[in-house]
Amino acid sequence: MRRLALALLLCGCAAVPKLPQAPIPLRNPTAPVASQADVTQARLGGDWVVVQGAGLAPGARLRFSEGAMSLDGVNMPLAETGAGRYAVGGQTLWIHWLDADNRTAAVGDPGGARVWIMDRTGRPGERLTAAREILEWYGYDLRRLDGR
């Protein structure tokens, strides 16, 4: 009976999906890095489209809701770990910049595993320049972004 209970417990533990990542780090670890302190799950809430990225492909669809992030329909747990800092399925995700109207965001892993720029409509206009400048300041190699 114990073996059956253990087997049922193990079968019920589905693996948490992982975010894709670049094969080699995307960020210079000696560059300064920070997250935007006023970014909340409420500000992130809703649908987004990746417009440029490494680790996440342009065109990928994201949806943020309280306690969850969905990547192309695959749900992952989202937990706040600090101001503008999150864990998605246990992986680090920092919001480096979010414009005042919550339309465009520069997102990354300070360890360099992934980085992307997302926008509500997929057409960030001049906000793309601002997002790229922030990411470059934080040491990300923008030459490696797809969707340039």
Side-chain angles (χ1 to χ4, degrees):
M1 191 63 139
R2 282 181 140 165
R3 287 184 186 167
L4 177 60
L6 181 58
L8 289 173
L9 178 66
L10 290 175
C11 288
C13 295
V16 173
K18 296 286 186 189
L19 287 169
Q21 65 182 51
I24 59 174
L26 297 159
R27 197 181 84 73
N28 176 350
T30 65
V33 67
S35 58
Q36 186 170 319
D38 65 349
V39 176
T40 63
Q41 288 189 36
R43 286 187 68 192
L44 290 174
D47 297 322
W48 297 85
V49 178
V50 174
V51 293
Q52 293 185 355
L56 258 64
R61 302 261 177 203
L62 297 162
R63 179 171 188 70
F64 287 84
S65 58
E66 190 65 35
M69 185 188 93
S70 171
L71 171 60
D72 289 332
V74 176
N75 288 320
M76 293 171 265
L78 176 72
E80 189 171 353
T81 60
R85 300 174 184 192
Y86 297 89
V88 177
Q91 297 174 290
T92 302
L93 184 72
W94 285 15
I95 311 303
H96 297 299
W97 177 76
L98 176 62
D99 77 293
D101 295 322
N102 307 324
R103 298 169 295 172
T104 304
V107 183
D109 171 358
R114 68 196 59 80
V115 62
W116 72 86
I117 299 168
M118 61 186 187
D119 185 79
R120 299 279 185 186
T121 66
R123 296 178 306 278
E126 76 285 349
R127 295 182 308 276
L128 180 61
T129 301
R132 288 180 61 85
E133 287 174 357
I134 293 288
L135 292 175
E136 186 173 44
W137 173 256
Y138 287 151
Y140 288 96
D141 184 354
L142 300 184
R143 295 171 299 174
R144 296 181 54 205
L145 293 181
D146 290 330
R148 293 186 272 178

